[in-house]
Amino acid sequence: MTDAAALLVIVDGANVVGSVPDGWWRDRRGAAERLRDRLASDGLPGHCGPVEMVLVVEGAARGVESVPGVRVESAPGSGDDLIAELAGAAGGRPVLVVTADRELRRRVTESGAEVTGPRRVRPD
């Protein structure tokens, strides 16, 4: 969905996956795929209305495929840079970035995005 009225949710995959010490470091790609699948099934808890979900992956998680309900973007370099670019290019539509990274939070709020922490999409 690319409806201009839809909330654009950009998920910092590395930060959200890394927020729970469940052995993700042994299989970074698999951890990103599990997060993608959770996002596809759960959406954005507590939000009613249309959502465009984008999961940004980097490093060993690059190449994770998109699925219905979640577009996956592989960062060619820094995931934070791609997230900031996507948030800045939203053209005035509402944007929510999911991350706990302080510097990234600062960068995306400067472009008008709202920010929430990893627990919003990964309550475990």
Side-chain angles (χ1 to χ4, degrees):
M1 171 183 296
T2 57
D3 181 358
L7 174 65
L8 175 59
V9 179
I10 306 169
V11 179
D12 181 350
N15 188 268
V16 173
V17 165
S19 69
V20 177
D22 61 0
W24 59 264
W25 51 89
R26 291 187 290 267
D27 181 11
R28 293 169 195 256
R29 184 182 179 107
E33 289 170 340
R34 288 188 297 279
L35 174 59
R36 175 206 58 200
D37 295 346
R38 173 179 276 170
L39 295 170
S41 69
D42 296 350
L44 181 64
H47 179 79
C48 57
V51 171
E52 179 185 357
M53 187 77 65
V54 178
L55 173 63
V56 174
V57 296
E58 62 187 345
R62 282 188 195 108
V64 169
E65 297 292 324
S66 296
V67 297
V70 180
R71 184 176 89 229
V72 180
E73 294 281 344
S74 292
S78 162
D80 290 1
D81 289 346
L82 179 56
I83 292 166
E85 179 183 321
L86 292 170
R93 78 188 265 206
V95 177
L96 178 67
V97 175
V98 181
T99 188
D101 181 297
R102 286 184 188 162
E103 176 60 17
L104 179 57
R105 291 168 78 98
R106 183 195 61 76
R107 290 173 68 187
V108 299
T109 56
E110 286 178 355
S111 68
E114 297 289 323
V115 180
T116 192
R119 286 189 178 169
R120 179 76 185 269
V121 296
R122 188 171 179 169
D124 52 356

